[in-house]
Structure formats: C-alpha cells, structure tokens
Amino acid sequence: QKEVEQNSGPLSVPEGAIASLNCTYSDRGSQSFFWYRQYSGKSPELIMFIYSNGDKEDGRFTAQLNKASQYVSLLIRDSQPSDSATYLCAVNFGNEKLTFGTGTRLTIIP
Amino acid sequence: DTGVSQNPRHKITKRGQNVTFRCDPISEHNRLYWYRQTLGQGPEFLTYFQNEAQLEKSRLLSDRFSAERPKGSFSTLEIQRTEQGDSAMYLCAGRGLDTDTQYFGPGTRLTVL
C-alpha cells in the first residue's frame, strides 16, 4: 500500500525563525509531490509542488525533494504568525489521485 | 480563490436521510476529484472524473455513495441512508489538462446526527 508519513506535531517555531516540515513516502516510482496549507475549518490551499530532485524556492517557501531517500520537505523562512496552520504533504504515485499524509500542525510563536 | 465552488458549505442531517452535494469547477478542469477528510486526518480519495467519465472509485465509496458529472462540468455526490460515520468534510478538487496540480474548493461539512 502506498503511504505518506508526516509527524503530526505540534511543531512550535519562534516568529522569524525557519520552520522545517518533513514527509516520507513509500514508493520510489512516485512522480509528483505537493505541499498544501490548511487552516482550521478550511480546505487545503496549494503552497508548492515539486517534481525533480533538489530544491525549489518560491518566496519564503522552499521545497526539497530527495527521491533516493523518498523524502520531501518544506522550509518556511522568516516564519509569521499567519503561517500557523496544518501542512499537508501529498504524493501522486502515478495513479491520478493524491495520497495525503495526516499533516503537521505548525504554530508560530510571536 | 481557486475558482472551485461547493454547495452547500454546511449540512446537518439526521441518520438515515439522503444528502447531495454539488461541486462546480472552472471550465479548464477536465478532471474532477472527490475526497473526504475527518478530524486529524488528511483527505482521502473517493472518486474522480475525466470529463463526464467516472474513472476510479475508492473502496471507501460504499454502495450508499454515488457521484455523477453529467456534462463534464459540475459534479454531484449523493449519500443515501446517511450514518454517523459519514460525518466529515467532503472536498472537491479540479485539475486541468496540462497540469498535475489539484485545486480544492471550500468543502462541504456534513454532520449526521
């Protein structure tokens, strides 16, 4: 069974620091990887996607992918209180649908 | 705003009643997905459509669940004889032809009493 694993947290990070969120997945043949942010009671909002090994940067966000280690991470620089949310890692295992982890709850401490 | 809308946003029903949810993606979304999310869990895949064709259904989708996308535009998800275990957020996502990315609507929160 194809699985996505995340530490559920909570992860507490001081305002202005770097938040590091991690995700592992079960299938080396996986094709695409996504990070969604979800505020309480709201639907998932796409933050970043990454397809190739290495880093991808978008503003304060950097996604890192290591297919050999089956590991994808999200770094949030200069963390803001508005970044407090649950971050969902999702993987397309090549079968159309997304498989999600349980999410990591991030709290930014002012 | 992803352009994907869902109605109703909230639904409270009594056990045994039937409910129907609607999802309206943008015109570019030839693929449409339904997911279910319970508290503390990530979304779980239910079914998806490419245009009007329903191409895959999860084992989570019991016989009480049915989904349609009659003209390849909006989609409906119906739950018959609701049970308390059906209480969840039902999420719809759209995806265009030239992208792998799914964009979610605001969801419909179902509470079965």
Side-chain angles (χ1 to χ4, degrees):
Chain A
Q1 184 169 344
K2 302 185 190 297
E3 295 182 337
V4 177
E5 303 225 350
Q6 295 181 256
N7 187 323
S8 61
L11 176 65
S12 296
V13 172
E15 184 175 356
I18 296 175
S20 177
L21 304 159
N22 303 316
C23 172
T24 58
Y25 58 93
S26 60
D27 184 356
R28 284 177 187 252
S30 305
Q31 296 183 348
S32 47
F33 308 84
F34 303 84
W35 284 100
Y36 286 86
R37 178 175 64 198
Q38 188 171 30
Y39 293 114
S40 180
K42 303 295 185 183
S43 66
E45 171 193 7
L46 181 71
I47 297 294
M48 290 197 69
F49 59 87
I50 186 167
Y51 300 145
S52 305
N53 276 328
D55 294 0
K56 179 182 179 183
E57 187 174 318
D58 183 1
R60 297 187 296 113
F61 298 95
T62 299
Q64 299 176 317
L65 176 60
N66 184 326
K67 288 190 176 182
S69 300
Q70 296 170 229
Y71 176 95
V72 57
S73 64
L74 179 70
L75 302 178
I76 307 174
R77 289 181 300 282
D78 187 23
S79 296
Q80 304 296 311
S82 60
D83 295 327
S84 297
T86 295
Y87 289 79
L88 296 163
C89 173
V91 178
N92 181 335
F93 287 110
N95 53 6
E96 282 288 340
K97 57 183 177 274
L98 292 179
T99 301
F100 285 84
T102 55
T104 299
R105 188 154 55 94
L106 173 67
T107 300
I108 305 302
I109 304 168
Chain B
D1 183 2
T2 63
V4 180
S5 61
Q6 291 186 246
N7 288 287
R9 297 289 302 278
H10 302 275
K11 179 70 177 178
I12 300 174
T13 191
K14 293 183 179 179
R15 189 177 56 185
Q17 298 295 305
N18 299 344
V19 294
T20 299
F21 310 140
R22 177 175 169 131
C23 172
D24 286 86
I26 63 174
S27 59
E28 290 82 0
H29 290 162
N30 72 320
R31 289 175 173 85
L32 186 149
Y33 302 79
W34 286 98
Y35 293 83
R36 180 172 69 186
Q37 186 178 24
T38 54
L39 200 61
Q41 301 298 314
E44 294 176 293
F45 170 79
L46 292 178
T47 188
Y48 93 95
F49 294 83
Q50 182 169 317
N51 300 314
E52 65 275 9
Q54 187 174 20
L55 296 186
E56 186 176 347
K57 293 193 291 186
S58 163
R59 285 173 292 177
L60 291 175
L61 215 64
S62 75
D63 291 345
R64 295 184 298 105
F65 289 71
S66 62
E68 293 183 339
R69 195 182 184 197
K71 295 183 180 178
S73 55
F74 73 92
S75 176
T76 58
L77 177 67
E78 180 183 16
I79 310 174
Q80 296 183 325
R81 304 181 303 282
T82 51
E83 302 173 354
Q84 287 185 324
D86 296 331
S87 296
M89 173 84 90
Y90 289 84
L91 295 161
C92 171
R95 175 186 159 188
L97 261 175
D98 57 352
T99 177
D100 203 16
T101 303
Q102 296 181 25
Y103 296 93
F104 285 87
T108 295
R109 181 166 297 282
L110 172 67
T111 302
V112 181
L113 301 176

